[in-house]
Amino acid sequence: MADAIQTVIGWDTIYEPHGHRVISPVSRIWSVGWGGYVLFDWDTFFAATLAAVGDRDLAYANAIEICREATPQGFVPNYARGGGWKSEDRSEPPVGAITLLGLYEKFHDRWLLADTFPALLTWNRWWAEHRDRQGYLVWGSDGENQPANLDDGSRGTRQGAILESGLDNSPMYDDATYDEKTHQLVFADAGLMGVYIADCDALAKIAVVLGKTAEAKELRERTAKYRSSLATLWDNNSGIFLNKDLHTGQFSHRLSPTNFYPMLAQAATPEQAQRMVTEHLLNPEEFWGQWVIPSIARNDPAFKDQDYWRGRIWGPMNYLVYLGLRNYHQPDIDRARQELSQKSLDLFLSDWRTNGHVHENYNGATGCGDDVSNSDRFYHWGALLGLIDLDE
């Protein structure tokens, strides 16, 4: 597995002459299509985690360079591409502090935290300042931000707001209310809240290491605020945290792996985590089976689409759910974590051993990565499926 990870990261790594730097874009094909290179936000942080399996310096390079792509508004953009263009309107899931804390715990270089902390803190504050709605966090797209990448028609649109989630066509957002004035989905997102609270927690730990007492206090206060808001998204009848349309006040019962991200934030009580795992994750009508975890529940009408985030299996989703499961130590959850690790490894190796591919995503029903054209064959974050097993 380590060889597979090093192979895909090595192949996708390039020298980028304009910035005089070494980076690991998602794949060579994507680099061609985006003007020479493209760094996506959470993809590149995951590339840093993957690179750490084989090379500390490459891991650091990816983490540092994506932080340096922060926009004048203070957020790490959805993308930064050849020609110097960025998504000035939108960000992507904030997994930066989780990544940097993980690298520090592995290699113990305090300077790495000192170098990246200012950008991570500014980004963390940006979410609370620009994506807070009624005390919840929502996705958005600030199309008025300049400079404008003129070939990006999604700026300031509903699609732009959905793209900020990183889940480009997820059925979770099919019926979400969109506010044309604020350019936001009026949709409290349990997954975003879970990842953000985990980001606050990790950044507070980094602040302590750096002796930044005031910032650590600020981050803990923000954690407490959004943890309290996230608690109101628990639906006791369903036994899981649900997204909520803030326009209608109604819960959305469309489930994806992001509904488990509150476990990443340790926002679920042990009893809630038990219900989430036994009633939903291990439920073969929703997420369990030979191939896991589909990006929408198997009993959702969109699962049959098997088109990108509409039912296919993605390494980053499995990885974030796995990290959440590690926060709880109950027999059923331990078993689920171990089985998720093995099933993720089996899915990855079935294609790696047969074809030498590391797919962007995999069919949720068959486990195949080659059945569609929009699953790149050497997209590095597919290897997160195997990294789970190395960590386990």
Side-chain angles (χ1 to χ4, degrees):
M1 192 60 239
D3 177 65
I5 290 171
Q6 292 180 45
T7 299
V8 69
I9 288 290
W11 180 251
D12 289 340
T13 295
I14 63 170
Y15 174 71
E16 194 274 291
H18 180 75
H20 306 289
R21 57 185 178 167
V22 173
I23 50 176
S24 304
V26 291
S27 85
R28 292 201 177 199
I29 292 174
W30 280 73
S31 290
V32 170
W34 286 70
Y37 74 91
V38 59
L39 294 180
F40 293 111
D41 165 356
W42 62 331
D43 308 60
T44 309
F45 283 117
F46 287 132
T49 300
L50 287 164
V53 170
D55 190 89
R56 181 194 65 175
D57 292 344
L58 182 57
Y60 286 8
N62 279 301
I64 290 170
E65 290 302 334
I66 192 61
C67 286
R68 287 178 177 170
E69 293 289 358
T71 69
Q73 290 76 27
F75 60 86
V76 176
N78 173 187
Y79 65 80
R81 56 171 294 184
W85 293 107
K86 303 177 184 180
S87 58
E88 304 283 349
D89 64 303
R90 61 184 183 268
S91 187
E92 256 192 332
V95 298
I98 302 170
T99 302
L100 270 299
L101 182 62
L103 293 177
Y104 174 74
E105 291 173 342
K106 185 179 181 72
F107 298 116
H108 313 294
D109 287 317
R110 185 176 180 275
W111 71 261
L112 177 69
L113 301 184
D115 192 78
T116 54
F117 181 78
L120 293 174
L121 179 62
T122 301
W123 187 24
N124 182 278
R125 289 169 173 166
W126 176 86
W127 285 101
E129 293 168 1
H130 293 269
R131 293 293 184 260
D132 184 293
R133 193 172 184 116
Q134 300 177 31
Y136 300 98
L137 292 180
V138 301
W139 305 112
S141 171
D142 303 327
E144 68 280 2
N145 291 348
Q146 297 295 324
N149 183 4
L150 297 180
D151 66 357
D152 183 354
S154 61
R155 294 176 299 109
T157 68
R158 174 190 177 85
Q159 183 56 40
I162 293 173
L163 289 174
E164 187 168 71
S165 73
L167 315 178
D168 305 5
N169 66 340
S170 173
M172 284 191 295
Y173 309 121
D174 284 357
D175 301 317
T177 301
Y178 175 70
D179 187 331
E180 295 279 356
K181 293 182 179 179
T182 63
H183 308 299
Q184 293 176 344
L185 293 183
V186 190
F187 194 73
D189 195 289
L192 170 57
M193 301 275 286
V195 172
Y196 181 73
I197 293 167
D199 183 79
C200 290
D201 281 338
L203 203 51
K205 292 176 182 177
I206 291 173
V208 170
V209 172
L210 297 176
K212 296 183 178 294
T213 306
E215 289 86 346
K217 180 176 182 291
E218 171 196 336
L219 288 158
R220 291 193 188 102
E221 290 173 352
R222 202 141 55 238
T223 298
K225 172 187 174 181
Y226 288 109
R227 194 183 298 277
S228 177
S229 296
L230 179 55
T232 67
L233 297 182
W234 173 260
D235 180 42
N236 202 51
N237 291 331
S238 302
I240 197 168
F241 290 87
L242 295 175
N243 301 323
K244 186 176 185 179
D245 190 309
L246 297 176
H247 177 69
T248 64
Q250 300 298 309
F251 279 131
S252 169
H253 291 272
R254 305 192 83 160
L255 299 181
S256 93
T258 64
N259 292 88
F260 299 104
Y261 292 178
M263 297 175 69
L264 182 67
Q266 294 181 277
T269 67
E271 294 75 21
Q272 289 172 338
Q274 175 78 14
R275 289 194 63 188
M276 292 168 71
V277 169
T278 57
E279 296 178 25
H280 297 282
L281 181 60
L282 296 177
N283 182 348
E285 293 185 1
E286 293 183 358
F287 294 105
W288 215 237
Q290 181 180 5
W291 310 113
V292 298
I293 308 168
S295 50
I296 198 71
R298 298 183 191 279
N299 57 7
D300 189 289
F303 175 78
K304 68 179 185 303
D305 295 350
Q306 288 303 307
D307 175 29
Y308 231 50
W309 299 97
R310 305 180 77 84
R312 295 181 72 81
I313 296 169
W314 293 75
M317 283 184 155
N318 281 32
Y319 185 66
L320 291 174
V321 172
Y322 168 77
L323 293 181
L325 293 172
R326 287 203 317 197
N327 288 329
Y328 297 85
H329 302 288
Q330 295 138 254
D332 287 336
I333 297 178
D334 286 341
R335 176 173 64 88
R337 189 193 74 246
Q338 292 159 6
E339 291 188 9
L340 173 60
S341 171
Q342 186 61 52
K343 286 175 178 289
S344 297
L345 180 66
D346 291 344
L347 173 61
F348 179 85
L349 289 181
S350 65
D351 210 333
W352 173 253
R353 286 175 170 157
T354 303
N355 302 310
H357 294 168
V358 178
H359 273 282
E360 183 180 3
N361 52 72
Y362 297 81
N363 189 294
T366 68
C368 180
D370 253 336
D371 59 316
V372 292
S373 61
N374 59 355
S375 175
D376 188 282
R377 293 176 173 178
F378 229 57
Y379 194 110
H380 54 50
W381 78 3
L384 290 169
L385 293 167
L387 182 66
I388 293 171
D389 186 71
L390 285 184
D391 285 354
E392 181 67 14

